[in-house]
Amino acid sequence: MLFVFNPKAGKGKIKAHLLDIVDIFNKHDYEVIIHSTQKPKDAYEKARQYADAVDLIVCSGGDGTLDEVVTGIMEQKSTVPIGYIPAGSTNDFATSLFVPKNMVEAASMIMEEELYHCDIGRFNKQTFAYVAAFGLFTDVSYETDQDLKNVLGHVAYILEGVKSLFNIKSYHMKVKSEEMEVEDDFMMGMISNSRSIGGFKNLTGKNVDMNDGFFEVTLIKMPKNPIELQEIMTALVISKDNTDLVHSFKSRKITIEAEEQVPWTLDGEFGGNQASVEIENMHKALNLYLKSKKNNK
């Protein structure tokens, strides 16, 4: 097994559990190759290196660490299963899949070796685990200092988001999918496979299935006045699409053409500036060791 972890994620809380976690793996007859990430993309490099050389890759950290491992495995076209021990400040992916928050319990669950085939996404030539997004709130994750994230958790996201409210930028886009075509000015968009975004549950709707082959798409138009902005915020808080200012639908594939380069985020990490994107659901492409009665097999 390759066990790769981010020692700084979530106030470094893995340090208190590391020996217990490795002991659980050893008790289940795994020879464990342990790697503590030293720099950005380190987990990605290690996942690529070991994808075809081990029986299992377990990662621990935030959603960014998970994203790196998933990307590395997919680029190698490997089917090696992964296990995820959440240790970040939000852990949207783990929350969505009902992974235990207790790190030792999560390690024990992985050792039960029940496979769950999870959808992931392709963003042009890149891979993402659960969300591709642009606009308001989406730049928060990688603009917020890691130490600030650790201390404040969700509050850091909210504080940075509120600051950006005073400088809202919109992008003129043409959006096409089998379900709909729309052209408008959007201040935010999310293409996700998650029950939780930025630590907020139900932002993507209440009937999210992580392996149904569909993304949840949310596109928010640019408000023309404070009343429209309030209408949008209310719709997001109560998770109901009862306004013409928010487009919500499910889709397997979506293309977005913008009049300018738009900064995107993939799983909370910077995904590049793109004027044209094609996003496709890779149905059941990720092999994940997961045991939960709440997840559909």
Side-chain angles (χ1 to χ4, degrees):
M1 174 205 300
L2 171 67
F3 177 37
V4 56
F5 66 92
N6 179 351
K8 295 181 180 175
K11 305 175 193 169
K13 68 178 180 181
I14 192 167
K15 292 170 187 173
H17 304 290
L18 193 55
L19 287 176
D20 291 333
I21 291 168
V22 174
D23 185 56
I24 288 168
F25 295 157
N26 286 156
K27 277 185 167 65
H28 286 81
D29 298 326
Y30 276 101
E31 291 290 336
V32 186
I33 301 161
I34 302 174
H35 184 79
S36 169
T37 58
Q38 303 297 308
K39 58 185 187 297
K41 297 289 183 189
D42 205 1
Y44 160 78
E45 295 289 352
K46 281 288 177 277
R48 283 198 64 169
Q49 181 183 342
Y50 283 96
D52 296 317
V54 294
D55 300 299
L56 168 64
I57 295 178
V58 175
C59 63
S60 182
D63 292 324
T65 304
L66 174 78
D67 177 84
E68 286 191 26
V69 169
V70 170
T71 300
I73 290 170
M74 289 299 137
E75 285 190 7
Q76 287 299 106
K77 297 182 170 56
S78 172
T79 57
V80 64
I82 75 162
Y84 181 39
I85 300 174
S89 48
T90 51
N91 304 312
D92 287 320
F93 190 78
T95 300
S96 297
L97 287 168
F98 310 106
V99 174
K101 288 184 169 59
N102 180 296
M103 300 179 83
V104 176
E105 285 179 19
S108 296
M109 180 203 69
I110 293 165
M111 291 296 93
E112 296 194 27
E113 299 188 346
E114 288 195 15
L115 263 187
Y116 178 81
H117 305 287
C118 189
D119 295 346
I120 53 175
R122 180 177 285 122
F123 176 89
N124 290 343
K125 293 182 179 179
Q126 300 182 69
T127 304
F128 64 94
Y130 73 94
V131 64
F134 69 86
L136 185 67
F137 291 115
T138 63
D139 58 352
V140 167
S141 184
Y142 53 83
E143 282 186 359
T144 307
D145 180 81
Q146 180 70 46
D147 292 333
L148 179 63
K149 264 201 273 190
N150 288 341
V151 173
L152 298 173
H154 299 167
V155 181
Y157 287 84
I158 296 165
L159 289 176
E160 291 290 330
V162 169
K163 277 198 279 185
S164 60
L165 267 177
F166 298 105
N167 188 25
I168 299 174
K169 179 169 175 55
S170 66
Y171 302 95
H172 192 80
M173 293 174 156
K174 292 180 183 175
V175 181
K176 290 183 181 179
S177 73
E178 286 182 2
E179 293 74 21
M180 70 176 294
E181 288 189 25
V182 61
E183 181 175 354
D184 217 318
D185 294 323
F186 296 102
M187 70 169 184
M188 178 182 172
M190 282 190 313
I191 296 87
S192 67
N193 184 43
S194 179
R195 298 180 176 101
S196 169
I197 302 287
F200 299 99
K201 294 180 183 177
N202 297 329
L203 202 59
T204 54
K206 290 186 169 63
N207 300 310
V208 177
D209 186 344
M210 302 281 284
N211 64 355
D212 62 356
F214 286 90
F215 288 125
E216 281 65 44
V217 182
T218 303
L219 298 167
I220 303 175
K221 288 162 65 170
M222 185 67 185
K224 295 183 174 63
N225 53 57
I227 294 171
E228 286 192 351
L229 179 60
Q230 185 60 49
E231 191 178 318
I232 290 166
M233 300 303 269
T234 302
L236 293 177
V237 168
I238 64 173
S239 303
K240 283 190 178 175
D241 183 12
N242 55 4
T243 170
D244 294 336
L245 299 167
V246 179
H247 295 286
S248 294
F249 58 97
K250 291 177 182 281
S251 183
R252 295 181 191 276
K253 188 174 179 180
I254 185 168
T255 58
I256 299 176
E257 303 286 340
E259 291 183 344
E260 61 184 298
Q261 295 280 322
V262 178
W264 282 79
T265 173
L266 305 178
D267 301 331
E269 304 294 319
F270 185 52
N273 296 305
Q274 316 280 351
S276 175
V277 300
E278 182 173 289
I279 301 169
E280 187 173 359
N281 187 295
M282 295 192 287
H283 186 37
K284 296 187 176 181
L286 180 65
N287 296 314
L288 189 70
Y289 276 153
L290 182 73
K291 185 178 184 184
S292 173
K293 291 172 182 158
K294 294 181 183 177
N295 290 301
N296 299 322
K297 289 284 180 287

